[in-house]
Amino acid sequence: MCGIVGAIARDDVVPILLEGLRRLEYRGYDSAGIALADGGLRRLRTTGRVSELSKLVGEQQFQGMVGIAHTRWATHGAPSERNAHPHFSAGVGNVAVVHNGIIENHEKLRQRLQSAGFEFLSDTDTEVIAHLITLKLQQTSDLFEAVRLSIDDLQGAYAIAVIEEAQPERIIVARNGAPLMLGLGEHCNYAASDASALLQVTKRMIYLEDGDVAELRRDGYRIVNCLAGVTSKEVVRAVYESELTDTDVELGPYSHFMQKEIFEQPGVVANTLEIVLNAHSISPQLFGSDAEHIFKQIDSVLILACGTSYHAGLVARYWLESMAGLACNVEIASEYRYRDPVANPKTLVVAVSQSGETADTLAALAYAKSLGHQHTLAICNVPESALIRSTDLRFLTRAGPEIGVASTKAFTTQLAALMLLSVTLAKLRGKLSSEREREVIAELRHLPVALKHTLQVEDQVMVWAERFAHKNHALFLGRGMHYPIAMEGALKLKEISYIHAEAYAAGELKHGPLALVDEDMPVVAIAPNNALLEKLKSNLQEVRARGGELYVFVDSDSTIQQSEGMHVIILPEHTRLLSPILHTIPLQLLAYHVALKKNTDVDKPRNLAKSVTVE
Ligand code: F6R
């Protein structure tokens, strides 16, 4: 999604703005731009990469001490230079605006502003903000005040940064429903939509809240909260020392962030499980001080999430049902928010999200609350996210920043967290003996090592990747709690290699998709040695009998042999309950290596954004 960087200093801020944009590239974008306020309002925009923008900056000796910059992921209006941010509005003060999010009432505002004589030069919803501020500057000469008055008229989600030629000693920013933070320095201050953009210059950050409008000067800042319907007042927000280091968001020896993040999994899963690894029992406190009290009142679980996080929820359903005996529904957030579900106040609503900023997940959670759900838990990877602030209980996965658009380590850490939740609820409901609890803890303790061993299948997966690179379609099969893993494998393959991939519960094959199977359709199957293995073997025979080529990931004791049309990779470790976590690894590696063979942009697949902050 779009990215914002702003900087005001005593010397040239352009290198900082460009480096900030470079660090936001992972979020996905299709154009980039930069504007400066001092020495006349100026801008450069391109539909190329940030490196292209840097080239333009160099050629035109573009320098200044107050500026804003943006990477745009098109929503309203095609990806083109005229639609790229910053957007200008000429008038009393000449303002420039960058914006993340969507202004829902932009059409109405556009008509109003056109009637007032403003000429629109782009198709974006953002340009209405620029003209609106100019309109307000006719009432007040103060830019801060003009922004504050403008946001009263805006509906939708936004994070904006504004500069004005007439007042080049400040940047005004505002947030409502889209992430935005301030970075504090010595005689210089910054704003960005993501901390990773600012780590190059500061670790001292302030996370703005909805309704906040802030003014940044070289030697100070102020924040006023202007939530609709409430009188504006100056507020003090906590200053955080970011724990992220520059290397957390750097590639290091790896070729891609996705590769780095796949190989980080043993470490980050260990970090996520740290509190448990040295314990003899799992405490509800892991989820918050009130967790035991809340968990004792619930009789079912509702998981809300999107994409890969939704797949984690689907796996958790099997765990929650079988271990804790709890009814569990898992809902795609964008669907749930527009249904008329019947709320049960005794349900624990669990929102799962890597970023904690996914618009659909946040809206689904708010909707669940509005329906009368009282108990909410967030499982999230970003401590400062909106999601973490929206629930009674929370569990932070400790995957570290995930830069690759295709989620990998966030998924396995979410699964680790959901296993802890299942164990906790099972225990509180008297469904888990102390002995069984100790066994599960022992399995969890071994998990990081098991992940490390599983990564060793990479060489064998690379051989398969060679064959997949020439295919246009693939089927993924799994049963039971490995069916969502098949879904995740198919999602990974399609998003980064652009090969069309579908996942099916293997038992469903003969109910339709078997018609697709021929020698050109590789069929990937996840075949752990569990109670469903014999059933799965029959499904695999159905594929072989139709000439389908099988690629099967098995446990050492799955007793599936390599044969004509049946390719087999044996996973070196076999963990029973946690098997979905291990079986995810080769599927991530397969997608990664197929994408490499196809020479696609692994970390920034076309059309996709890292954090989907719009509906
Ligand atoms: C796929 C992927 C997406 C995200 C989805 C939800 O690789 O990354 O499907 O899982 O957009 O994002 P979060 O977890 O941030 O809510």
Side-chain angles (χ1 to χ4, degrees), residues 305-310 352-358 361 402 404-408 414 488 491-492 495 609-612:
C306 302
T308 288
S309 299
Y310 168 70
V352 184
S353 171
Q354 184 282 127
S355 61
E357 300 289 351
T358 301
T361 307
E402 192 179 61
V405 163
S407 187
T408 52
Q414 283 168 350
E488 177 58 10
L491 178 64
K492 288 289 93 92
E495 67 185 327
K610 181 64 190 164
S611 182
V612 187

Side-chain angles (χ1 to χ4, degrees), residues 288-533:
S289 52
D290 220 13
E292 181 162 358
H293 174 68
I294 290 177
F295 286 170
K296 280 187 169 157
Q297 296 174 52
I298 62 148
D299 67 4
S300 54
V301 176
L302 166 65
I303 300 179
L304 301 172
C306 302
T308 288
S309 299
Y310 168 70
H311 296 157
L314 288 176
V315 174
R317 173 163 65 193
Y318 291 88
W319 290 336
L320 286 161
E321 286 173 350
S322 65
M323 296 174 76
L326 273 168
C328 176
N329 261 335
V330 190
E331 302 257 7
I332 295 172
S334 56
E335 285 295 312
Y336 177 82
R337 61 186 286 197
Y338 294 115
R339 281 191 22 238
D340 293 316
V342 180
N344 165 8
K346 287 190 171 174
T347 297
L348 175 69
V349 179
V350 184
V352 184
S353 171
Q354 184 282 127
S355 61
E357 300 289 351
T358 301
D360 282 322
T361 307
L362 291 172
L365 175 67
Y367 182 51
K369 287 191 206 170
S370 75
L371 293 175
H373 283 292
Q374 289 161 12
H375 308 307
T376 54
L377 162 69
I379 293 183
C380 184
N381 193 40
V382 180
E384 308 82 9
S385 62
L387 184 66
I388 283 288
R389 292 195 296 265
S390 312
T391 51
D392 309 326
L393 304 175
R394 53 202 62 90
F395 183 96
L396 269 175
T397 51
R398 292 172 60 195
E402 192 179 61
I403 308 287
V405 163
S407 187
T408 52
K409 61 178 182 170
F411 179 66
T412 43
T413 52
Q414 283 168 350
L415 287 176
L418 287 161
M419 172 49 85
L420 293 180
L421 179 66
S422 308
V423 176
T424 307
L425 291 172
K427 230 173 101 176
L428 287 176
R429 292 168 60 79
K431 305 266 182 195
L432 195 77
S433 65
S434 312
E435 195 192 337
R436 183 72 193 113
E437 185 185 2
R438 276 197 297 277
E439 281 169 15
V440 178
I441 292 177
E443 269 200 52
L444 287 169
R445 204 170 281 151
H446 181 64
L447 183 60
V449 177
L451 283 166
K452 208 167 172 177
H453 291 160
T454 307
L455 284 163
Q456 290 165 3
V457 299
E458 184 178 27
D459 288 348
Q460 296 171 69
V461 171
M462 281 163 75
V463 176
W464 287 9
E466 190 83 55
R467 298 187 198 148
F468 275 69
H470 309 292
K471 303 287 181 189
N472 295 318
H473 308 275
L475 283 181
F476 284 69
L477 303 179
R479 292 197 78 130
M481 59 184 171
H482 294 83
Y483 167 43
I485 299 305
M487 294 168 80
E488 177 58 10
L491 178 64
K492 288 289 93 92
L493 188 69
K494 66 186 137 194
E495 67 185 327
I496 61 164
S497 77
Y498 314 147
I499 291 176
H500 169 232
E502 292 297 333
Y504 282 95
E508 273 293 288
L509 203 58
K510 53 186 167 302
H511 298 289
L514 200 52
L516 292 171
V517 170
D518 63 13
E519 59 281 1
D520 285 330
M521 173 74 86
V523 180
V524 179
I526 302 152
N529 183 12
N530 62 19
L532 290 168
L533 180 63

